[in-house]
Amino acid sequence: MKVIAVVPAWNEEPRVRKTIEAVRQYADGVVVVDDGSADRTSDEAHVGDAIVLRHVLNRGQGAS
């Protein structure tokens, strides 16, 4: 069985890579849902080797 963690993120550029690293201890894969960030959250998540899904507009945590 594989465990995939889904991490919602909005304007988390400074923290998203550390979060991905921490979550990897418990999951086989990480998906970051960038909820319309105005910063480089998606880019940093890609560098952290996560699968990234991006909303064009901020839709709130529930949509992520």
Side-chain angles (χ1 to χ4, degrees):
M1 179 170 75
K2 285 191 174 188
V3 175
I4 306 297
V6 178
V7 179
W10 182 67
N11 292 335
E12 297 292 341
E13 178 184 354
R15 293 170 288 281
V16 71
R17 281 175 53 191
K18 276 191 170 185
T19 302
I20 293 166
E21 291 171 14
V23 169
R24 285 205 185 278
Q25 298 177 60
Y26 307 102
D28 300 304
V30 180
V31 175
V32 173
V33 181
D34 180 351
D35 193 22
S37 296
D39 62 5
R40 297 183 65 244
T41 296
S42 289
D43 296 332
E44 289 296 313
H46 277 295
V47 171
D49 201 27
I51 295 169
V52 179
L53 304 175
R54 190 171 196 304
H55 294 162
V56 177
L57 301 172
N58 181 280
R59 297 172 56 189
Q61 187 173 5
S64 293

